[in-house]
Amino acid sequence: GFWEWDYSSRNGPSTWVEKFPMAAGSRQSPVNIETDRAESDHEALSSKPLRWKYPATASRKLLNPGYCWRVDTDGEGTLLSGGPLMDDIYKLEQYHCHWGCSDSRGSEHTVDGQAFAGELHLVHWNTTKYKTFAEAAKAPDGLAVLGVFLKVGKPHDEMDKIARLLPYVSHKEDCIEINEPIDPSKLLPDDNGYWTYLGSLTTPPCNESVTWILFKRYIEVSHHQLNIFRNLRKFPRGEECPCHENHGVVINNFRPPLPLGNRVLRECGS
Ligand code: 1SD
Ligand code: ZN
């Protein structure tokens, strides 16, 4: 078939730049967060607290695009504002997750060189300035992604609603409607201290359009819940192919950190 990017040795992150030149830019994500380097920019960030609103009814569909699981929302009544987002209002488009093959890796961002077992991304777009998600995705201030690190511990109730549905989207291109409300705000940590910097999508085409906001506190999910993520397939139903690496399961779907370069890393809260 035609060339498709993925996380394998053949078509993985180091090869993306050949087809997606933006991946070679100087505003790429993820990065390693050097906590000592974070500037606590009190006035600018804490004067406008980060605010979000996510009605549980906004989570509409669960999909397997072949490289993660993703919940698409209808955006209705969702909102992210404040913090580094200036005076603009962002809407939640979708949320998805990255994870490893074992509990010691899986996050995209690292903190002082340490990886977490996974990283949840809530992808928002700037509705103050742009008309569609696609238009926003091309603009330097078009997207805002909230990142939450996942650590292995006790099972997470809200994450369990997703984990219980994953067997219904086990193969690439599978998609189901969500009937039981899933509240993404319950997937966020209790404390909202965060790091923020300007970066990119971590998947091709790696547009440099993202204001990253990474929570300092992680959430806990169980080893069993992560194993359910690790059982998703990279290939469509009926296309069983033994030549796939790792039997074609979705694991290690994270891009390794890229240089922060001369970008500013700011922090707010603890
Ligand atoms: O990995 C996601 C990708 O699936 C897609 O959702 C994209 C937004 O169009 O965002 C990236 S990421 O940068 O949020 N990882
Ligand atoms: Zn992501």
Side-chain angles (χ1 to χ4, degrees), residues 142-155:
L143 304 182
V145 183
L146 274 188
V148 182
F149 294 113
L150 309 186
K151 194 169 170 160
V152 171
K154 44 184 190 334

Side-chain angles (χ1 to χ4, degrees), residues 67 94 96 98 108 121 123 133 201-203 212:
Y67 52 86
Q94 48 106 328
H96 64 268
H98 304 262
E108 301 213 286
H121 289 157
V123 182
F133 176 82
L201 295 179
T202 65
T203 56
W212 278 95

Side-chain angles (χ1 to χ4, degrees), residues 30-35 98-120 148-152 195 214-219 226 230 252-257:
V31 298
N32 174 42
I33 304 290
E34 282 181 64
T35 57
H98 304 262
W99 59 87
C101 58
S102 69
D103 297 345
S104 59
R105 54 207 286 237
S107 64
E108 301 213 286
H109 292 86
T110 53
V111 179
D112 293 326
Q114 283 294 118
F116 288 80
E119 190 172 325
L120 176 72
V148 182
F149 294 113
L150 309 186
K151 194 169 170 160
V152 171
W195 294 291
L214 296 158
F215 285 107
K216 293 185 175 184
R217 307 283 174 91
Y218 55 79
I219 61 164
L226 282 168
R230 294 177 185 128
N252 299 330
N253 56 348
F254 58 91
R255 186 189 196 190

